[in-house]
Amino acid sequence: MTAALELDRLSVHFYNGRHDIAAVREASLSIAAGTSFGLFGPSGCGKSTVLRVVAGIELGWSGQVAAFGTPYRAGQKPQGRLRRDVQMVFQDPYASLHPRHSIRRTLEEPLIVNGIADARRVAAEALAAVGLPPDIAPRTPNALSGGQRQRVAIARALLLKPRLLLLDEPTSALDMSVQAEILNLLMDLKAAYGMTLLLVSHDRDVIAHVCDSAARMRAGLIEAILDRPALAAV
Amino acid sequence: MSLAATARSRSFAPLLRFARRSPALALGSSIVGLVIVIALVAPLVAPYDPTFQTMSDRLQPSSVAHWLGTDGFGRDILSRLIYGTRPTLLIISLVALIMAPLGIAIGIVAGYYGGIVDRILMRFTDMAMSFPRLILAFAFVAVLGPGLLNAALALAVTSWPPYARQARVETQAMRRSDYMASVEMLGIRGPRLLFGHVLPLVFPLAIVRMALDLAGMVLIAAGLGFLGLGVLPPTAEWGKMVADGTPVIFDQWWVAASPGVAILILSLGFNLMADGLRDIMDPRHG
């Protein structure tokens, strides 16, 4: 069985005027399909950069990246199957939804663009799957709470039935009480859809709660890979 | 209070709240709205035919028959002012309809695609921006002949670049946002992304800029008319009316002053509207 995600000596450099900053240095890891993997470490350690490479947002990297056996090409946005298989939920639900589009439009448009039939019904099901009532569909995001917005963002990321879901600090912009709800929702959805999760967080407890194994990063390097007992221990 | 009165006061309540929130916007849009209504119903409200000459009544001061007096051909100034709203509004709405969509479209495309597309479009924008507006308008009118459409075209061709620049900067900022990353991951791109997703966010600031620009357009349109490059006589046009009044400005001042005040009021109306819109739409001017 091929791994959901394989990174082999992934490096990312940024040029900041004169200085060359190595955001990620030769990171290698492998995530088995159907598991939850966490990346954690202090801010600026390169964990989000790894995620953005896998998402196809950050294109300037070197090394090898492959999802479900399909290699990425540096400098090119992922296309076709790979594009749909890998989706992402962003940190700030206030910035990742269009402020002037209704929830219905937010959910139906990707379905229409990707040629999925019966967009209205599929969008309604997606709302139900993340535990939102159908009557919020005509509203715009500013009528929703942060937790509801993040649920919409999760519903949107799941529309195309991705096999690998990337989560960039999905709960850090939310209240404590809402954080647990969202994390449990993600775990339920992972089981229901048979997805692989790659979760980035600075919060070790979040990682320990959700993930089967995790990597600790520091200054662009992967310091250690921790399995389930090791995660639970600390 | 009777039921009808309650109902009426309730239906006016949102308007009142709106006026209290931004008096400038309320006043400005009432002025502009009033001028538009006057232009639409000009034949009904004008007491005389604006081109009807009565040589025996020339240069009359304000009277009961002619509220604002008469001009050098004995035409009623009030009627000419009322009819003069039409060419002015027509020019500025033509300009607005050409410059804003053109500028916004160019700016969004340049900002989104970047690279060579951005460079070509922005150098083109710089070129258009480097033409002095009034001089180019003169050249246009000189080549194409005076007239309303040519004047509007000349103004539009020189006034779209600021819209392109503003839209480009906003699009570039959005380009790096999580929002764009998330919709691109879902396969939304091309015109659908540009006009369905980027445009609605660029639009509010463009509207504010447009309201502000239209105040200047009123003045430029009047300037072209004043120089005889706008609407052809005998059609009533404010700038031309000021020009007609200048030879007699010391003895019959009202001939030039009435259209001058009209230009001032409409221009002020657009300015107030722009100010109010900016207060409401732009959080940085909260």
Side-chain angles (χ1 to χ4, degrees), chain A residues 117-178:
Chain A
D118 214 356
R120 173 133 320 182
R121 186 180 55 78
V122 177
E125 283 171 5
L127 270 185
V130 294
L132 288 173
D135 60 319
I136 69 153
R139 299 196 205 157
T140 53
N142 58 3
L144 305 183
S145 69
Q148 285 175 317
R149 287 178 200 222
Q150 196 62 304
R151 283 171 192 264
V152 173
I154 292 168
R156 181 180 59 177
L158 295 179
L159 285 173
L160 302 180
K161 307 246 180 302
R163 293 201 284 166
L164 173 60
L165 186 63
L166 309 174
L167 306 162
D168 185 8
E169 308 257 10
T171 56
S172 61
L174 305 174
D175 291 341
M176 287 301 272
S177 59
V178 185

Side-chain angles (χ1 to χ4, degrees), chain B:
Chain B
M1 199 190 279
S2 75
L3 202 66
T6 322
R8 198 176 323 122
S9 71
R10 193 176 298 142
S11 68
F12 279 125
L15 269 181
L16 276 176
R17 208 166 337 115
F18 175 70
R20 208 169 298 140
R21 207 172 130 205
S22 174
L25 179 60
L27 184 60
S29 41
S30 330
I31 292 174
V32 173
L34 185 68
V35 172
I36 291 173
V37 169
I38 288 175
L40 289 175
V41 300
L44 300 177
V45 293
Y48 298 91
D49 181 338
T51 55
F52 184 71
Q53 303 182 0
T54 319
M55 290 315 261
S56 56
D57 282 348
R58 36 192 313 266
L59 299 171
Q60 294 291 309
S62 172
S63 65
V64 177
H66 300 283
W67 289 5
L68 293 176
T70 60
D71 70 0
F73 294 100
R75 297 175 294 199
D76 181 52
I77 290 179
L78 179 63
S79 304
R80 288 181 68 73
L81 276 187
I82 289 172
Y83 273 91
T85 53
R86 290 180 157 188
T88 306
L89 287 179
L90 212 56
I91 286 187
I92 61 175
S93 44
L94 273 175
V95 172
L97 279 180
I98 301 173
M99 71 175 180
L102 181 70
I104 293 172
I106 287 179
I108 288 180
V109 170
Y112 181 74
Y113 289 103
I116 188 81
V117 176
D118 180 38
R119 269 191 228 161
I120 291 173
L121 285 177
M122 290 329 281
R123 289 304 79 76
F124 187 57
T125 306
D126 288 343
M127 265 160 58
M129 208 170 202
S130 65
F131 285 114
R133 183 176 293 178
L134 211 54
I135 306 288
L136 192 76
F138 291 167
F140 254 72
V141 172
V143 173
L144 301 172
L148 203 136
L149 197 65
N150 294 343
L153 204 63
L155 294 180
V157 162
T158 47
S159 52
W160 62 267
Y163 293 83
R165 290 198 158 183
Q166 184 175 311
R168 170 174 171 265
V169 170
E170 283 186 76
T171 309
Q172 277 179 334
M174 220 184 296
R175 185 87 193 76
R176 292 184 287 271
S177 69
D178 283 357
Y179 177 72
M180 290 298 248
S182 66
V183 290
E184 282 184 355
M185 290 187 80
L186 291 158
I188 295 171
R189 55 200 151 103
R192 180 183 276 273
L193 179 68
L194 291 184
F195 296 102
H197 295 248
V198 178
L199 182 63
L201 298 179
V202 171
F203 207 59
L205 271 183
I207 290 285
V208 172
R209 177 177 278 275
M210 197 164 80
L212 208 55
D213 269 3
L214 290 183
M217 290 297 161
V218 172
L219 296 179
I220 294 180
L224 285 175
F226 182 84
L227 295 167
L229 301 173
V231 182
L232 294 171
T235 310
E237 199 274 332
W238 293 351
K240 184 84 183 84
M241 288 168 70
V242 175
D244 291 344
T246 43
V248 292
I249 194 158
F250 292 112
D251 302 314
Q252 284 87 24
W253 53 269
W254 58 88
V255 181
S258 310
V261 169
I263 294 167
L264 173 74
I265 290 175
L266 182 58
S267 179
L268 185 70
F270 275 117
N271 257 322
L272 287 172
M273 200 164 89
D275 245 25
L277 281 175
R278 187 174 55 195
D279 287 347
I280 286 182
M281 290 204 201
D282 187 353
R284 279 164 297 187
H285 290 79

Side-chain angles (χ1 to χ4, degrees), chain A residues 87 96 98 101 109 113-114 156, chain B residues 182 185-187 192 196-197:
Chain A
Q87 291 294 332
S96 66
H98 198 288
H101 286 177
E109 198 172 0
V113 167
N114 285 280
R156 181 180 59 177
Chain B
S182 66
M185 290 187 80
L186 291 158
R192 180 183 276 273
H197 295 248

